[in-house]
Amino acid sequence: EDEVVEARLAANGYNSSSLDATINGSEDGESALADFIGTDDAALALVDDFHALAPMIAELDERDRQIIHWRFVEELTQKDIGERLGVSQMHVSRLISRLLTRLREGMLTTA
């Protein structure tokens, strides 16, 4: 009996409404509930790009993957990356440019 009472109380917390239900009192007169909830996720368009990019990054050698990780995940400067690799900042700049060109071209051929 206690479980039934508890279940009925819990069920009171869930009330559904139509997304087309009108809401009175808005500045524009009547508005639908759907106008106030849910938006398009701008990052959703990036999902396809991530899925296309992941195998290309996996094909890179360990050093190139590490450079990409340091630059775009850890957000290290080219100077910091150069110090870790024992090369100049200019050399890191060239490496990143070459890597990004290769990945960009790969993205264009898979599209």
Side-chain angles (χ1 to χ4, degrees), residues 32-53:
L33 180 60
D35 295 337
F36 296 98
I37 60 173
T39 59
D40 290 335
D41 187 353
L44 187 59
L46 298 175
V47 171
D48 289 335
D49 291 340
F50 289 138
H51 283 287
L53 191 58

Side-chain angles (χ1 to χ4, degrees), residues 71-89:
R71 183 68 188 106
F72 298 104
V73 176
E74 294 185 26
E75 298 180 354
L76 296 180
T77 64
Q78 292 177 357
K79 180 182 174 207
D80 293 336
I81 295 170
E83 289 172 359
R84 290 185 181 194
L85 292 175
V87 298
S88 70
Q89 177 270 328

Side-chain angles (χ1 to χ4, degrees), residues 49-67:
D49 291 340
F50 289 138
H51 283 287
L53 191 58
M56 288 187 284
I57 290 177
E59 291 174 1
L60 297 174
D61 63 34
E62 182 61 33
R63 185 181 94 160
D64 289 346
R65 277 196 310 273
Q66 188 64 55
I67 291 170

Side-chain angles (χ1 to χ4, degrees), residues 14-21 33 37:
Y14 298 99
N15 294 322
S16 59
S17 296
S18 171
L19 292 177
D20 295 324
L33 180 60
I37 60 173

